[in-house]
């Protein structure tokens, strides 16, 4: 029962989980690229230039993943989040560029009417898309926080 979507074959388990609304979407920087923001690799390069990290110093750390590298930088540079905001915020976002965010909001409803998206993104595009389409976001958690286990998030 696999489905092909835009040239990508979706696995049967994914299709069944989506049909039963038993799925959580984990979304990274790529979802905001079409809205004008850099992907994770490009963002880290801009951060490095902004705070003066030598590229040679970062190669070994990047082998462990972008999140690992970002956390390491954050420990060394306490104001790193402010620098990231300075990189991202000047970019104006055309509301018509949030179609992917809108589609993921629609797809991510579970049987209880809760939206189940976890994102590592720094932007507020899911909140903007929700406001744009009249979708109520019951709760939002900023990384590295996740919804507590004792909530009705499931």
């Amino acid at each position: 029962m696999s489905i092909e979507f835009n040239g990508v074959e979706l696995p049967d388990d994914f299709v069944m989980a989506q049909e039963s609304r038993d799925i959580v979407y984990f979304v990274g920087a790529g979802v905001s690229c079409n809205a004008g923001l850099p992907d994770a690799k490009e963002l880290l390069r801009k951060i490095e230039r902004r705070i003066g990290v030598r590229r040679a110093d970062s190669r070994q750390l990047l082998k462990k993943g972008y999140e690992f590298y970002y956390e390491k930088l954050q420990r060394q540079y306490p104001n790193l989040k402010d620098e990231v905001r300075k990189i991202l915020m000047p970019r104006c976002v055309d509301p018509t560029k949030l179609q992917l965010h809108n589609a993921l909001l629609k797809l991510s409803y579970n049987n209880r009417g809760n939206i189940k998206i976890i994102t590592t993104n720094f932007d507020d595009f899911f909140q903007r898309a929700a406001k744009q389409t009249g979708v109520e976001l019951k709760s939002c958690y900023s990384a590295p926080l996740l919804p507590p286990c004792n909530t009705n998030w499931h």
Side-chain angles (χ1 to χ4, degrees):
M1 171 163 72
S2 65
I3 294 176
E4 189 172 309
F5 180 75
N6 286 347
V8 176
E9 189 169 330
L10 302 175
D12 292 343
D13 291 345
F14 175 83
V15 173
M16 290 187 302
Q18 177 58 42
E19 287 176 350
S20 68
R21 301 281 187 194
D22 187 27
I23 195 165
V24 175
Y25 287 88
F26 285 81
V27 182
V31 73
S32 295
C33 287
N34 68 327
L37 294 187
D39 64 14
K41 183 177 182 180
E42 183 184 347
L43 178 59
L44 279 173
R45 294 292 174 234
K46 288 177 185 235
I47 291 169
E48 287 173 340
R49 283 193 298 274
R50 189 166 189 99
I51 63 176
V53 173
R54 291 182 350 181
R55 194 149 186 210
D57 296 338
S58 67
R59 284 199 182 109
Q60 198 64 24
L61 291 171
L62 274 171
K63 290 180 182 177
K64 295 183 178 186
Y66 295 122
E67 287 82 8
F68 175 85
Y69 180 45
Y70 178 78
E71 286 177 27
K72 181 98 170 145
L73 286 175
Q74 198 168 16
R75 283 193 291 276
Q76 292 175 329
Y77 302 94
N79 296 329
L80 189 63
K81 281 189 179 183
D82 294 332
E83 296 302 321
V84 171
R85 283 188 193 95
K86 289 175 188 173
I87 292 168
L88 297 180
M89 289 310 128
R91 297 171 182 250
C92 293
V93 177
D94 179 350
T96 63
K97 304 277 184 172
L98 299 178
Q99 303 100 324
L100 189 51
H101 296 80
N102 288 325
L104 283 165
L105 285 172
K106 288 177 188 172
L107 282 172
S108 66
Y109 275 102
N110 68 7
N111 292 331
R112 292 182 170 180
N114 295 326
I115 293 174
K116 294 170 64 172
I117 296 176
I118 295 175
T119 181
T120 57
N121 291 1
F122 293 99
D123 62 67
D124 65 349
F125 291 176
F126 280 109
Q127 290 90 334
R128 290 186 196 190
K131 187 175 183 180
Q132 201 178 75
T133 57
V135 170
E136 180 189 356
L137 296 178
K138 295 177 183 171
S139 56
C140 295
Y141 300 89
S142 296
L145 299 176
L146 291 175
C149 293
N150 60 353
T151 66
N152 287 328
W153 196 70
H154 54 341

